[in-house]
Amino acid sequence: MPHELSPDTSFFAFSPDTKPALRVRQGEEVRLTTHDCFSGQLKSSTDTMEALDWSITNPATGPVYIEGAMPGDVLRIDLHEVKATGPSVMVALPKEGALGEFITQEETVILEHRGDTVVYKDRVVVQQKPMLGVIGVAPAEGVIPNSTPGIHGGNMDCTLITSHTRLYLTVGVEGALFGCGDMHAAMGDGEVVICGAETPGEVRFTPHVVEIPGLPTPFVETGDLVAVIGSAESVDAAYKLVLGMMHGFLTGVVGMTTNDAAMLMSLVGNLKFCQVVDPLVTVRFEFPKGVIGDYGYVFPR
Ligand code: CA
Ligand code: ZN
């Protein structure tokens, strides 16, 4: 029997002091349902932000206490399924997001889910690629609102965090206190207007503590690539952070020379935006898994 949790147990900040909603052992499957990032407050195009209670935005379902996860451990979350249940909602808001200077009229759009697509104003049909915007663990100390990304995870809005991805995070407190939410049925890299197709959803995952000394986190592994995710106050600071993280992984964990790592990052790596609209900007650096294999590195299972 899998463990289940609904958005009735949501939290709005990653904190060492939040009481766990569920306790699980490593290797056990967990099924969560998640609210959309507005906690379902925007149900039609006439629902505007005026009446919105901002204190219940960006809910994450959890926290889940993972037995045996200790501070400093690397926690691997195997995302078996990230499924958007819909409908989705988007908003455009004057002065908000990276396009706010162009927007004079607030607007709410409900996107219908048809099969495995979302439909924008009955005109544009977009293939769903459901992803989790907010996903993370409690930091060792302090309280980080779910709106904010960081080394604990949080609001990274990374389009790689989808079905069949493995996300590696460093545990801050005993039990990790994992949670996730802010699912997008689809979203472009950058999240420029301030949102993706914001949807409620269902998530199935299994947690494991793994032994990978020196792994920079947050770290993502998909079928064909690895990526490090970094957040900072400026794009410059964020890209320098992820370049250092990936270079450190390739030299320190995979065992490449400094110059091999640097040249291969330039030859086959890709620097990409996650989002530029949250309190910190988030970027990632992607590198092909096959090239890590060429250097003999295999991830522990
Ligand atoms: Ca988000
Ligand atoms: Zn979102």
Side-chain angles (χ1 to χ4, degrees):
M1 265 288 283
H3 298 279
E4 295 186 1
L5 213 52
S6 82
D8 294 344
T9 46
S10 290
F11 63 91
F12 300 92
F14 287 92
S15 159
D17 301 322
T18 309
K19 203 170 147 282
L22 179 68
R23 295 176 82 96
V24 303
R25 293 197 192 93
Q26 294 171 45
E28 292 181 338
E29 184 173 302
V30 184
R31 292 180 181 193
L32 305 181
T33 48
T34 58
H35 258 323
D36 69 44
C37 71
F38 303 112
S39 290
Q41 293 181 88
L42 302 180
K43 289 199 166 25
S44 85
S45 56
T46 55
D47 289 341
T48 59
M49 305 297 280
E50 215 173 354
L52 194 79
D53 179 354
W54 282 94
S55 74
I56 55 167
T57 57
N58 277 319
T61 303
V64 179
Y65 182 103
I66 295 147
E67 285 181 16
M70 299 302 287
D73 284 349
V74 174
L75 175 69
R76 192 185 82 213
I77 299 292
D78 296 355
L79 288 167
H80 309 301
E81 189 172 28
V82 178
K83 183 177 162 196
T85 46
S88 289
V89 60
M90 293 191 74
V91 294
L93 299 171
K95 299 193 179 68
E96 297 287 341
L99 293 165
E101 67 201 274
F102 304 111
I103 296 165
T104 52
Q105 189 74 48
E106 177 186 336
E107 186 172 1
T108 300
V109 177
I110 305 295
L111 291 84
E112 188 195 328
H113 286 209
R114 263 184 228 155
D116 58 359
T117 67
V118 285
V119 184
Y120 182 86
K121 293 189 174 176
D122 239 347
R123 175 174 286 203
V124 180
V125 178
V126 179
Q127 181 66 46
Q128 286 187 29
K129 196 190 172 196
M131 50 154 286
L132 288 160
V134 171
I135 184 165
V137 293
E141 53 188 45
V143 174
I144 305 175
N146 288 2
S147 58
T148 304
I151 54 171
H152 71 296
N155 197 7
M156 300 183 287
D157 287 311
C158 174
T159 50
L160 295 178
I161 300 179
T162 184
S163 300
H164 314 304
T165 288
R166 295 188 172 102
L167 173 67
Y168 298 78
L169 297 162
T170 300
V171 176
V173 297
E174 192 183 315
L177 304 182
F178 171 85
C180 61
D182 184 29
M183 193 185 293
H184 304 152
M187 189 194 93
D189 282 334
E191 203 186 20
V192 291
V193 87
I194 212 173
C195 56
E198 306 292 335
T199 178
E202 297 170 5
V203 181
R204 281 194 305 116
F205 72 92
T206 306
H208 293 275
V209 168
V210 291
E211 196 62 47
I212 311 181
L215 186 76
T217 57
F219 186 98
V220 166
E221 179 193 358
T222 73
D224 52 9
L225 59 82
V226 294
V228 289
I229 305 173
S231 301
E233 281 185 10
S234 71
V235 169
D236 281 13
Y239 86 70
K240 284 192 174 125
L241 176 63
V242 294
L243 293 183
M245 289 167 75
M246 182 57 78
H247 191 264
F249 169 69
L250 295 175
T251 56
V253 180
V254 177
M256 291 184 187
T257 65
T258 291
N259 287 4
D260 280 358
M263 283 192 271
L264 289 168
M265 282 172 65
S266 197
L267 184 68
V268 292
N270 289 303
L271 176 61
K272 293 186 179 177
F273 287 105
C274 294
Q275 59 76 25
V276 293
V277 294
D278 294 337
L280 300 172
V281 300
T282 305
V283 305
R284 67 181 179 271
F285 193 89
E286 299 178 355
F287 194 82
K289 218 164 147 183
V291 177
I292 292 164
D294 292 340
Y295 278 76
Y297 185 76
V298 182
F299 283 91
R301 290 287 175 252

XYZ file of all heavy atoms in Angstrom, residues 59 67 83 156 297:
45
model
N 1.486 26.580 -2.278
C 1.472 25.513 -1.275
C 2.292 24.310 -1.751
O 2.332 24.018 -2.943
C -0.012 25.130 -1.191
C -0.558 25.458 -2.535
C 0.211 26.683 -3.008
N 12.621 8.359 6.924
C 13.401 7.717 7.984
C 14.828 7.449 7.537
O 15.071 7.007 6.415
C 12.716 6.429 8.442
C 11.513 6.756 9.306
C 10.789 5.537 9.837
O 11.366 4.436 9.804
O 9.639 5.713 10.274
N 1.808 14.127 -12.821
C 0.623 14.117 -13.685
C -0.278 15.325 -13.384
O -0.694 15.521 -12.238
C -0.153 12.827 -13.417
C -1.356 12.621 -14.277
C -1.975 11.281 -13.936
C -3.399 11.190 -14.432
N -4.089 10.065 -13.783
N 12.227 26.376 -7.806
C 13.249 26.397 -8.859
C 12.643 26.502 -10.252
O 13.301 26.927 -11.194
C 14.114 25.131 -8.758
C 14.824 25.006 -7.418
S 15.918 23.565 -7.337
C 14.745 22.204 -7.207
N 31.992 6.799 -15.300
C 31.218 7.053 -14.091
C 29.824 6.421 -14.182
O 29.130 6.554 -15.193
C 31.053 8.547 -13.815
C 30.365 8.785 -12.495
C 31.056 8.635 -11.299
C 29.000 9.099 -12.446
C 30.417 8.793 -10.084
C 28.353 9.268 -11.236
C 29.078 9.116 -10.061
O 28.438 9.253 -8.863
